Amino acid sequence: MQLVHQIEALQAQIRAWRTSGETIAFVPTMGNLHGGHLTLVQRAKEMGTKVVVSIFVNPAQFDRAEDLAAYPKTLDADCGYLAKLNTDLVFAPTPESMYPTGKLRTKVEAPGISDILEGEKRPGHFTGVATVVCKLFNLVEPDIAIFGEKDFQQLLVVRQMVKDLNINVQIVGVTAVREPDGLAMSSRNGYLTPEQRQQAPYLHQTLQEAARQIVAQGQVTDEGFESIQQIMIGHLAEHGFRPEYFEVRRENDLQVPSLGDENLVILASAWLGKARLIDNVQVFLKDGRIV
């Protein structure tokens, strides 16, 4: 496995692979890898002849300086995991190489998707995500890029960017990987105390319960959804969470659903102690499926 820090070395390898006709599958990460990340890498190996994983703690997507400073940096351990999966190349650039002047004048946004829900709670977050992912796509030139569906809104932002900017890459979403008790795997789970870790799966349980109630309704009704959302926010608060939002949205663009919409997603964010947890459940009314 190659570990590359410099853009020039990355591009030289990409050119060589292109000359040889390789198919490049790419997994962008911020490191501190867990089972969810490794599942993305395994999917990448199924879809490409060469797999590139980036590890870059992107300062542009943090809305709080203390979050950036506290984010775990575990490059050695991450490379150990990736080597066991026979990853072909790890690209771990420095902030200085990605942002040579310390700040970019050109930024990428996806208005209508990036400024609601997570975007409203974390102003500028998705601008930082879309910009760095666009830069990484330009550097790695992947045929396929793999993203987890736990960060559902992020996935839609990337898909919209690729569509609008005609970036020639296939975006593949992978279902969130969960612990046995249902908690979605996340680097932020490390901020939970042992007691909070026992409580954390309740977030997913409330999403599942909301999904069951929506399937029972069988159609989109503003009054019904508003009632479900408020009830679930109350349940979370009663169980020690500090909810930020709990929303039923249209699955393809995260807008408020209308009568006749059948593919929905329920998204939630809540603090539990020092950990900010996000999760989602997809609901397909036509056949009553909950994912």
Side-chain angles (χ1 to χ4, degrees), residues 17-69:
W17 284 340
R18 286 288 174 214
T19 301
S20 301
E22 305 287 359
T23 300
I24 300 172
F26 177 46
V27 181
T29 82
M30 293 207 303
N32 194 24
L33 302 185
H34 51 68
H37 294 113
L38 301 183
T39 296
L40 303 183
V41 176
Q42 290 169 330
R43 178 65 62 85
K45 289 180 64 63
E46 295 168 0
M47 302 190 73
T49 59
K50 296 295 182 182
V51 174
V52 177
V53 176
S54 65
I55 296 177
F56 178 59
V57 182
N58 177 33
Q61 69 189 68
F62 285 83
D63 56 322
R64 302 194 313 159
E66 57 268 33
D67 267 1
L68 174 59

